[in-house]
């Protein structure tokens, strides 16, 4: 039986982001293995994967930070695992699995090695200070070293693909393509009636680069003239240098600027309650939360930034605003308040676009074909 090993960095996202892809791989008759930190035999994610017939492997990978000794241990662990499993295919995604997973797969002479670039992360986003510039140079060098041994690189938007090509991060001999994000299950995220506006929602890790501060600042401006407007926020404070401080979040809540709902395992109820979905991110692969909101028939406000701009036709299913532009973001929000029917019209178009372009089964069919798994 053919074997495939998926290497990830965040176990809690596996079922949410890759569940349909795993099902598609199993349907092709592959023996599926997944490696990620924290995939212990007793974890809930492991239980769900084992129930599908997937074999799980816990690896000592720290997804944040650049500790050379820790990363070398992760590389050695991946190499031992690959030599033991002997997969025909390795697919790795997110920064460290792509870098160290592909290096290990090449050392183990895996016949088919694929990288999935789902976004560029902290090093490539935000204002370039000395620390971030140094980190980006290091990450670019490691990416180049790893991708030299890839048979194919799959991007989730054309901007990231062009950046990797133009800067030489992706060697010229390695073929690449982009797909429409991770896709969305349009049957699970079904259309829900749009409530009376104005109720805005942002779902994200609480990071500066996700535009969380801009969202809060725009909410404060809008509520000054429209105190009835609701601004909900779903997410959690991440362990990265760019994380929103707990004190900052508490101030927004105390001042009545945002309605903080915490971290939700299932965001469908939160999307159902909103009339407009907002993501002022600085850069994405293709934002999954936007696709979920689109599939459920919600108008979108997002930034004219890589990945984000792929989801919105400006003026059709939502509005695009410049990155970091609080005034323009607030103005877009006000348009939905001033025209209560706008959210319904644009939400209907969002659903049509989600079904046409971002259906997860269409996206996975392209990936399996490009990986040489299906005809």
């Amino acid at each position: 039986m053919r074997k495939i090993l998926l290497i990830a960095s965040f176990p809690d996202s596996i079922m949410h982001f890759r569940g349909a892809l795993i099902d598609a791989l199993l349907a092709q008759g592959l023996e599926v293995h997944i490696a990620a930190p924290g995939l212990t035999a007793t974890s809930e994610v492991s239980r769900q994967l084992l129930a599908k017939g997937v074999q799980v492997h816990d690896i000592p990978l720290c997804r944040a930070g650049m500790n050379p000794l820790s990363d070398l241990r992760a590389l050695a662990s991946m190499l031992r695992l690959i030599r033991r499993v002997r997969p025909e295919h390795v697919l790795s995604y997110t920064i460290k699995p792509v870098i160290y997973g592909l290096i290990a797969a090449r050392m183990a002479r895996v016949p088919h090695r694929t990288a999935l670039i789902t976004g560029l992360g902290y090093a490539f986003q935000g204002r370039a200070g000395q620390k971030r510039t140094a980190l980006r140079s290091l990450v670019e060098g490691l990416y180049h070293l790893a991708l030299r041994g890839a048979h194919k690189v799959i991007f989730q938007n054309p901007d990231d693909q062009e950046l990797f090509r133009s800067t030489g991060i992706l060697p010229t001999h390695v073929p690449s393509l982009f797909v429409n994000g991770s896709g969305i299950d349009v049957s699970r995220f079904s259309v829900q009636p749009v409530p009376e506006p104005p109720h805005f929602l942002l779902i994200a890790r609480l990071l500066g680069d996700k535009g969380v501060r801009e969202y809060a600042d725009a909410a404060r401006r809008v509520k000054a003239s429209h105190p009835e407007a609701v601004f909900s926020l779903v997410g959690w404070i991440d362990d990265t240098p760019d994380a929103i401080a707990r004190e900052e979040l508490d101030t927004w809540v105390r001042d009545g600027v945002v309605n903080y709902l915490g971290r939700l395992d299932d965001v469908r109820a939160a999307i159902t309650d909103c009339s407009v979905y907002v993501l002022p991110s600085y850069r994405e692969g293709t934002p999954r939360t936007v696709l979920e909101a689109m599939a459920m028939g919600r108008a979108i406000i997002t930034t004219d930034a890589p990945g984000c701009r792929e989801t919105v036709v400006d003026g059709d299913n939502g509005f695009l605003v410049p990155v970091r532009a609080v005034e323009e973001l607030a103005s877009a929000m006000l348009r939905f308040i001033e025209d209560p029917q706008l959210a319904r019209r644009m939400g209907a178009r969002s659903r049509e676009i989600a079904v046409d372009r971002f259906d997860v089964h269409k996206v996975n069919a392209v990936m399996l074909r490009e990986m040489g798994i299906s005809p």
Side-chain angles (χ1 to χ4, degrees):
M1 179 181 290
R2 294 180 299 166
K3 301 178 184 178
I4 184 169
L5 172 65
L6 276 65
I7 306 177
S9 63
F10 189 51
D12 289 354
S13 71
I14 291 172
M15 292 298 294
H16 187 56
F17 285 89
R18 306 288 163 239
L21 177 62
I22 292 167
D23 290 341
L25 293 168
L26 291 168
Q28 291 291 323
L30 272 72
E31 181 178 299
V32 179
H33 295 251
I34 299 182
L39 277 185
T40 61
T42 58
S43 75
E44 175 61 20
V45 178
S46 293
R47 186 192 66 77
Q48 294 174 15
L49 291 169
L50 290 168
K52 285 179 175 287
V54 174
Q55 299 189 39
V56 299
H57 307 274
D58 183 16
I59 54 175
L61 176 67
C62 179
R63 67 187 182 93
M66 296 295 289
N67 183 310
L69 290 178
S70 174
D71 289 348
L72 281 174
R73 283 195 293 270
L75 173 61
S77 175
M78 292 180 201
L79 180 58
R80 289 193 297 270
L81 173 63
I82 291 170
R83 285 176 170 166
R84 185 171 75 249
V85 173
R86 300 179 66 183
E88 182 180 334
H89 296 265
V90 164
L91 170 65
S92 55
Y93 64 96
T94 66
I95 296 176
K96 287 192 179 184
V98 166
I99 292 172
Y100 301 116
L102 281 186
I103 291 173
R106 186 181 187 187
M107 293 173 67
R109 301 182 184 277
V110 175
H112 302 281
R113 305 183 289 270
T114 305
L116 175 61
I117 309 297
T118 57
L120 300 188
Y122 172 77
F124 290 84
Q125 302 186 64
R127 293 189 173 95
Q130 183 176 359
K131 181 178 179 181
R132 200 182 300 228
T133 299
L135 178 60
R136 175 166 174 167
S137 296
L138 174 61
V139 172
E140 286 182 353
L142 290 171
Y143 260 138
H144 180 77
L145 175 64
L147 295 179
R148 287 173 56 190
H151 293 108
K152 187 158 290 185
V153 180
I154 302 174
F155 294 87
Q156 292 197 336
N157 69 62
D159 295 272
D160 289 353
Q161 183 182 30
E162 172 57 27
L163 175 65
F164 272 50
R165 286 293 186 195
S166 63
T167 58
I169 298 173
L170 182 60
T172 56
H173 72 276
V174 179
S176 67
L177 71 149
F178 73 89
V179 296
N180 289 321
S182 301
I184 188 70
D185 185 343
V186 296
S187 61
R188 182 169 185 264
F189 289 86
S190 57
V191 175
Q192 299 298 316
V194 178
E196 286 297 322
H199 187 157
F200 302 91
L201 171 67
L202 166 61
I203 303 170
R205 286 181 294 156
L206 301 187
L207 305 175
D209 290 348
K210 295 295 184 181
V212 178
R213 291 188 179 93
E214 286 81 359
Y215 179 72
D217 288 347
R220 192 182 296 275
R221 294 191 186 196
V222 171
K223 287 180 77 69
S225 57
H226 294 275
E228 77 281 7
V230 177
F231 295 85
S232 293
L233 176 62
V234 172
W236 72 99
I237 296 176
D238 204 3
D239 183 22
T240 71
D242 192 43
I244 302 294
R246 182 75 210 193
E247 295 78 13
E248 193 172 5
L249 174 61
D250 290 343
T251 298
W252 298 336
V253 174
R254 185 179 64 249
D255 293 349
V257 175
V258 299
N259 174 33
Y260 180 53
L261 304 178
R263 181 175 184 172
L264 302 178
D265 292 330
D266 188 342
V267 299
R268 287 176 293 179
I271 296 173
T272 297
D273 289 342
C274 83
S275 52
V276 179
Y277 184 78
V278 184
L279 181 65
S281 178
Y282 300 175
R283 188 182 193 111
E284 296 285 330
T286 296
R288 172 63 176 247
T289 58
V290 172
L291 301 187
E292 292 169 348
M294 288 172 61
M296 293 182 68
R298 294 302 180 262
I300 307 297
I301 302 174
T302 191
T303 48
D304 189 9
C308 298
R309 68 170 68 103
E310 304 304 311
T311 63
V312 168
V313 178
D314 191 40
D316 184 20
N317 70 309
F319 297 112
L320 294 174
V321 298
V323 172
R324 302 177 187 272
V326 174
E327 183 176 348
E328 288 87 343
L329 179 58
S331 295
M333 293 170 172
L334 287 170
R335 295 181 70 170
F336 289 102
I337 296 175
E338 293 162 359
D339 182 357
Q341 297 304 313
L342 189 59
R344 292 183 176 85
R345 294 199 301 270
M346 288 188 164
R349 282 293 296 135
S350 281
R351 172 67 183 187
E352 292 173 359
I353 295 170
V355 171
D356 181 54
R357 293 185 52 202
F358 296 104
D359 185 319
V360 69
H361 302 296
K362 296 178 181 179
V363 173
N364 287 339
V366 173
M367 287 190 58
L368 266 59
R369 184 177 68 246
E370 292 295 333
M371 292 167 61
I373 291 173
S374 65

